[in-house]
Amino acid sequence: DQQVKQNSPSLSVQEGRISILNCDYTNSMFDYFLWYKKYPAEGPTFLISISSIKDKNEDGRFTVFLNKSAKHLSLHIVPSQPGDSAVYFCAASVTGGGADGLTFGKGTHLIIQP
Amino acid sequence: NAGVMQNPRHLVRRRGQEARLRCSPMKGHSHVYWYRQLPEEGLKFMVYLQKENIIDESGMPKERFSAEFPKEGPSILRIQQVVRGDSAAYFCASSPGGGGAAFFGQGTRLTVV
């Protein structure tokens, strides 16, 4: 049973437009959410995170939105740039005790078209 | 280099051999995680370790796989008697703990022939 789901395997966006990547989760115990970006043959790179006590976190061109009631989060990239083409992983964890390993989605391949 | 260091980057083993993957966490990080990425799949949690302790190994296959993070030296993921299905990218991540973001190494790509 997948606890973190990224239902779009790929997404194509024109350069300069907004990219919106979506992620759903089923485990209501998750209280910390992260987005990672991954280029081929490299390790994932941390992008941005959000705690469950917030509904929005912004860092430059990247904004993450969290809707706890819908168990949904999204990553907005605006404006999209060619270097943003990569696979984006959504991850979630339960903090505050026990193992805090991350549960990852399967990723969304974002393609920025010129 | 202050990042998470994994070696080797590429490892080729014949079926039945042993594979040893090493991970040196970022300076100041005492929490290490191992993840595996199979082709067309996301990252799957394998094991979470702190110095000299295994905290959570719920993602580790029951047999042939083991992990350690000794007091001195890198964390080691050991796969005995490798099979073709072990071919994957293995990523190590480290964090300072407390639920903060984990930072990943560049991974070890294991190919079993």
Side-chain angles (χ1 to χ4, degrees):
Chain A
D1 178 37
Q2 256 195 297
Q3 296 189 65
V4 177
K5 298 178 185 177
Q6 293 177 259
N7 291 319
S8 298
S10 67
L11 175 68
S12 185
V13 174
Q14 206 165 10
E15 182 180 356
R17 301 281 184 119
I18 183 170
S19 295
I20 300 176
L21 297 100
N22 293 305
C23 177
D24 298 292
Y25 62 95
T26 56
N27 187 345
S28 56
M29 298 294 291
F30 287 142
D31 58 1
Y32 189 61
F33 305 89
L34 309 91
W35 284 95
Y36 285 83
K37 174 181 179 180
K38 186 180 181 302
Y39 293 119
E42 292 187 13
T45 303
F46 170 72
L47 265 181
I48 192 168
S49 63
I50 188 167
S51 165
S52 60
I53 61 173
K54 294 186 173 183
D55 55 19
K56 177 183 173 182
N57 189 24
E58 192 172 350
D59 183 2
R61 296 187 298 116
F62 302 91
T63 303
V64 56
F65 295 92
L66 175 63
N67 181 335
K68 279 183 293 183
S69 60
K71 294 193 178 70
H72 176 85
L73 65 155
S74 61
L75 174 68
H76 292 212
I77 307 172
V78 56
S80 300
Q81 298 174 354
D84 296 331
S85 294
V87 177
Y88 288 78
F89 289 99
C90 168
S93 72
V94 179
T95 58
D100 54 356
L102 299 169
T103 302
F104 283 85
K106 289 193 175 185
T108 296
H109 186 192
L110 176 64
I111 302 160
I112 304 302
Q113 298 190 335
Chain B
N1 187 335
V4 179
M5 301 300 293
Q6 286 188 252
N7 68 81
R9 289 292 307 276
H10 300 275
L11 183 61
V12 179
R13 284 287 177 266
R14 295 186 186 279
R15 279 179 295 171
Q17 290 185 319
E18 178 180 286
R20 282 192 179 223
L21 290 66
R22 293 175 187 78
C23 169
S24 296
M26 284 180 72
K27 190 175 180 182
H29 286 191
S30 58
H31 298 238
V32 165
Y33 314 83
W34 285 93
Y35 292 83
R36 175 164 67 173
Q37 185 178 24
L38 295 166
E40 311 301 323
E41 294 286 327
L43 292 150
K44 299 280 191 194
F45 168 76
M46 298 181 75
V47 62
Y48 161 40
L49 310 105
Q50 293 181 26
K51 284 285 185 182
E52 299 184 277
N53 286 307
I54 296 174
I55 306 302
D56 180 1
E57 56 182 349
S58 58
M60 288 275 270
K62 294 282 185 280
E63 296 177 350
R64 302 188 297 108
F65 285 72
S66 62
E68 63 176 9
F69 188 17
K71 189 176 179 182
E72 302 290 338
S75 175
I76 307 285
L77 179 67
R78 184 179 174 207
I79 312 172
Q80 295 177 292
Q81 299 175 326
V82 296
V83 301
R84 287 236 170 93
D86 297 332
S87 295
Y90 291 83
F91 292 97
C92 168
S94 73
S95 79
F103 294 86
F104 283 80
Q106 293 200 314
T108 294
R109 189 161 299 277
L110 173 66
T111 303
V112 180
V113 296

